[in-house]
Amino acid sequence: MSDLPETRYLHGTAPEEQARLQTLNALINTHTLAEIRPAAGERLIDFGCGLGQFARAFARATGAPAVAFDRSASQLELARRLAEFDGESAMVAFREGDVHAPPLAPEERGTFDVAYARFVLEHVPDPQRVVNAMAAALRVGGRLVLEDDDHETFQLWPEPPGVMALWRAYTRTYDRMGADPYVGRRMVQLMSAAGVQPRRIAQLPFGACSGDPTFVPLVVNLGGLFDSARDAILATGAFDARGFDDAQEALTAFGERDDAAFWYTRRYAEGIKG
């Protein structure tokens, strides 16, 4: 029997969720790459790679093939199809595996220049074990990069009726699954406990105002986030189906305003393996 902690991804892997993730990656990968500043020749290992769009973008920037893995076979199947469609199949070696125990051959351990995880730690029951595994994959002097959420940074204004309450109910679903919606604030501590020297932190934009071309896609992504977690949100008892639908309608109307602001940031932490 495996001793790996049970991990459940709240949002599932339905086609609608995969489409949401594709759009989300397109919106935020540029910011992440600008923050990491990948150097020529750096080899990446991407923990919980999802559809692999970031791993391919990193490999394009460095000219070195990456390794990317995920536990979802359906996500990986689409990741390979997307890479093939773009003529980039050789850029990334996609593998199936768990973030607590990366699928690496013994000779690959301790060889990577950058170990990266985004929106992974918030969903796992033992984030320290994941960060430890990331550190073990790095060479001495390699960079460990974490990017994740702290759900307290979320704010919409003018506040659409019911949406902030829906966000709080959504946040409660993490606790019920043994996960941590505030893990972003703990990333430096997790890194240090893994024997990695923290170097810098940042808060990366994950919001926009009306008039910004990313505003409507971000609002649509938020609605898709809620839809994919609908059953879990209703199970908290904070909303019934009618209340959920009313809040989603208010969110749609918010996205059509010309005076609206979507405030959110994601947390970024980077360290060096000594």
Side-chain angles (χ1 to χ4, degrees), residues 27-52:
L27 288 170
I28 66 180
N29 280 346
T30 300
H31 288 141
T32 298
L33 284 171
E35 195 65 40
I36 293 180
R37 299 189 292 272
E42 282 190 318
R43 293 179 62 241
L44 171 78
I45 179 167
D46 189 349
F47 280 63
C49 67
L51 301 179

Side-chain angles (χ1 to χ4, degrees), residues 195-210:
V196 173
Q197 177 59 53
R199 187 172 76 171
R200 62 191 183 91
I201 60 172
Q203 297 195 78
L204 305 185
F206 200 6
C209 65
S210 56

